[in-house]
Amino acid sequence: MGNNVRAMAAATPVSRDRYVDLLRVASLGTVVLGHWLMAAVSSAGIGNLLAVLPGLQVLTWGLQVMPVFFFVGGFSHALSYRSLERKAAGAPVYAAFLRGRLRRLLRPTLVFVLVWTAGALAVQAAGRGDGRLTAAALRMVTQPLWFIGIYLAMVAFTPPLLRLHRRWGWAAFGLLAGAAAAVDVLRFALGVPYAEFLNFAFVWLAVHQLGFLRADGRITRPAALAAAGLAGAVLLVAYGPYPLSMVGMPGEKVSNMAPPTLALLCHGMWLVGAVQLLAGPARRLLARPRVWRGVVAANGIAMTAFLWHLTAMLAVYAAQISLGLRLPEPASAAWWAQVPVRLLLAAALTGLLVAVFRRFEAPAATPPALGSRPRSGPRAAAGTVLSLLGVLGLSMTGLGGLFEGHTATLVALPVTAPAAIAMALGGWCLVERSAPARSVRLRG
């Protein structure tokens, strides 16, 4: 692995924006660290440290960095799609674009889901799935998959929204932001049922659209963007129906995350502006070979580490319980004293899991094939939609109650974990079947 990373780092084109790679790794790493810190595990179950210490919720204004990941996704998707268009010389590229982006994302995700499903079935068949900690673990281990479902939607919408961006630029972002604001009016002022779920699209696609603007070098005043976003978020939280926390909190009637709100979009704007302001110093740091090799290595395993980090954390607590060690009350002095040890153990276990499963994240050896298989674009699009619905559904159902037919509500429809898994696998098959019977060599 070391020699491969050195070779990849040495072969990096001068034109590559290394800062984007750093942002991708840093955002996922921050999310992982946040999850490890927020887990307040006790003999009563798994809670949230931010609920135990509400004063810490203000920290989410700096640590809720998922908008940065989606912003980086918009940048990468714009470059990838345009590159395919240039190489295709007029051939359809939508199906190839979807396959190329989904392979590296869905394959490790489905492996994670299948491994955990097998474990959940074994635990529940043995009659041991109803303990407080076990039940909580089966419920929460799939929750972070929501972001993968949203990311799949961004991939699917990239071509039409990129065309909108080419024509309207900043106005396209304004259109999506205005739609997000209108949804919140329908939700909070008029009480229109289910309207809030539209903001899963409008809010995150607006952040994604900022990535298009960065790809064209059109974020020329990042300080103004950051100031506007921060001011908007402060005003909305201070005077509107929005909570302080930028992550979901147990028992809250309103969450800024699920569904996302206009306040979260403003939060995303200030984060994007802030990271843009740091681009210059970061690029100078990334010019150092050793630093860049570290970023290259981390990018190769980031998704695998994200998928398995909660498994590692839960394993640490399970080991503590099985050894008869006392679980201190969350936020107590003893709890804080154990934090460094828990983090080190969780990181070590995550490293072991990455070593086992990282091969499923490896990029394809050949570029996505272009070709003329009939209806390849609609087939790939249908597969992507089915996959994202399955992944989102599984993030809501968890893996508990598999034998009892436990359901959760996906927008307005009930869904079970087996049905969600079947949708994700079926969507993956459809996307793969959109490939041409024989590859067509890319030009250029």
Side-chain angles (χ1 to χ4, degrees), residues 218-246:
R218 300 186 66 174
I219 302 181
T220 56
R221 301 177 63 188
L225 180 64
L230 186 58
V234 168
L235 290 173
L236 289 170
V237 169
Y239 299 105
Y242 304 95
L244 173 66
S245 175
M246 290 297 165

Side-chain angles (χ1 to χ4, degrees), residues 18 22 38 65 90 127 145 161 217 268 272 292 347 369 374 381 397 409 435 439-440:
R18 301 183 180 194
L22 175 63
M38 285 193 299
V65 294
L145 298 183
L161 288 181
V272 167
W292 176 236
T397 63
T409 302
S439 297
V440 176

